[in-house]
């Protein structure tokens, strides 16, 4: 699995690498901004769903090149720590969205929320453009046949598939827990405001794992050990959270 991670770092994001990692992130942020701005003016649900799919594509254009760009910009002795910091983007964003989204929508409406997301994406694109160096890509051909060859090598290797399966398992568990927590809280009689805060807290706690894993990797702890600990804790915690009924289950705060 560790070899698979290293292989992913060398070969991931074939298309993004061909166009340039920084350029891919800038294009993804621009796509997010345009889709969010268009969503604020959308006349109906079908267009909103289509724009949400477009946002998802822009999101991937931003997220996939980020570890490779960090790898090129950061000194090797700080790489694992900074990758741990980068990993907090998902729990931090989820927590902020769960806390600020309902309040903003209640005060100004959902269209203004989409508009604010467009503004934030534009601001991040400007910060990336001005604050991050344009690191040259490795000396590899960006021709179509070169991209296809690298894609074939990546898909034919065992390691990337194991990494993808591991992350799919983690993300499916994480999204299931975060997605169903509001339902569990509601069934337990928790108010809407408290539900948002508790769900945001559950999402934000992941940042401790991101930062801690980065530091432990920097100290020489092997990734398989961290993965085993993480999945074991997730299994036990998820069992405790979902076990029982409204009468016999754990208190919502716990």
């Amino acid at each position: 699995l560790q070899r698979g991670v290293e292989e992913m770092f060398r070969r991931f994001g074939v298309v993004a690498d061909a166009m340039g990692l920084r350029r891919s992130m800038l294009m993804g942020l621009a796509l997010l901004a345009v889709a969010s701005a268009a969503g604020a003016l959308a006349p109906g649900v079908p267009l909103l769903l289509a724009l949400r799919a477009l946002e998802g594509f822009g999101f991937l254009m931003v997220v996939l090149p980020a570890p490779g760009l960090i790898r090129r910009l950061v000194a090797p002795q700080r790489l694992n720590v900074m990758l741990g910091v980068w990993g907090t983007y998902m729990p931090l964003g989820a927590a902020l969205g769960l806390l600020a989204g309902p309040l903003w929508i209640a005060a100004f409406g959902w269209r203004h929320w989409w508009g604010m997301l467009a503004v934030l994406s534009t601001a991040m694109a400007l910060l990336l453009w001005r604050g991050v160096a344009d690191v040259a890509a490795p000396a590899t051909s960006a021709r179509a046949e070169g991209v296809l060859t690298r894609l074939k090598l990546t898909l034919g290797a065992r390691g990337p598939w194991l990494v993808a399966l591991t992350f799919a398992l983690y993300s499916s568990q994480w999204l299931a827990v975060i997605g169903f927590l509001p339902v569990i809280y509601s069934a337990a009689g928790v108010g809407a405001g408290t539900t948002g805060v508790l769900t945001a807290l559950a999402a934000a706690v992941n940042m401790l794992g991101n930062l801690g894993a980065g530091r432990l990797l920097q100290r020489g702890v092997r990734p398989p050990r961290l993965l085993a600990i993480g999945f074991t804790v997730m299994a036990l915690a998820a069992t405790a959270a979902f076990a029982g009924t409204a009468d016999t289950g754990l208190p919502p705060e716990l």
Side-chain angles (χ1 to χ4, degrees):
L1 186 61
Q2 185 175 5
R3 289 195 298 271
V5 174
E6 295 171 352
E7 187 74 10
M8 286 286 284
F9 269 123
R10 288 196 298 268
R11 295 178 175 173
F12 87 102
V14 174
V15 176
D17 192 53
M19 72 172 63
L21 302 179
R22 179 174 173 270
R23 182 180 300 175
S24 173
M25 295 183 70
L26 288 172
M27 292 176 63
L29 287 168
L31 192 59
L32 281 168
V34 171
S36 296
L41 304 174
V45 174
L47 182 57
L48 278 176
L49 291 176
L51 290 170
R52 187 65 190 90
L54 189 62
E55 281 186 329
F57 184 72
F59 172 78
L60 292 177
M61 291 184 67
V62 175
V63 173
L64 288 178
L69 186 59
I70 293 173
R71 191 178 183 86
R72 296 179 189 175
L73 291 172
V74 176
Q77 60 270 23
R78 299 181 62 229
L79 178 61
N80 287 323
V81 174
M82 294 311 298
L83 285 175
V85 173
W86 168 80
T88 64
Y89 77 89
M90 191 66 173
L92 178 61
L96 291 176
L98 288 167
L99 286 174
L103 297 175
W104 185 281
I105 292 173
F108 304 106
W110 66 268
R111 293 185 183 275
H112 286 83
W113 178 248
W114 278 65
M116 176 56 65
L117 296 179
V119 172
L120 290 175
S121 297
T122 303
M124 290 308 304
L126 291 173
L127 287 174
L128 178 65
W129 177 59
R130 294 180 61 88
V132 177
D134 191 6
V135 183
T140 56
S141 174
R143 295 176 300 174
E145 60 268 28
V147 171
L148 292 176
T149 299
R150 281 180 286 160
L151 182 60
K152 183 178 179 181
L153 287 172
T154 302
L155 295 178
R158 180 171 176 265
W161 286 103
L162 289 176
V163 174
L165 181 62
T166 303
F167 192 79
L169 180 62
Y170 162 76
S171 58
S172 62
Q173 293 181 59
W174 190 83
L175 291 172
V177 172
I178 298 301
F180 280 104
L181 273 181
V183 178
I184 296 174
Y185 292 147
S186 177
V190 179
T194 306
T195 292
V197 173
L198 291 177
T199 307
L201 178 63
V205 164
N206 283 256
M207 291 188 290
L208 299 178
N210 294 125
L211 298 174
R215 292 188 176 276
L216 289 172
L217 286 170
Q218 199 68 36
R219 294 178 181 180
V221 179
R222 291 175 56 81
R225 176 176 297 181
L226 294 178
L227 288 168
I229 294 172
F231 277 121
T232 301
V233 172
M234 287 183 71
L236 295 175
T239 300
F242 287 102
T245 63
D247 298 325
T248 63
L250 296 173
E253 292 78 5
L254 184 56

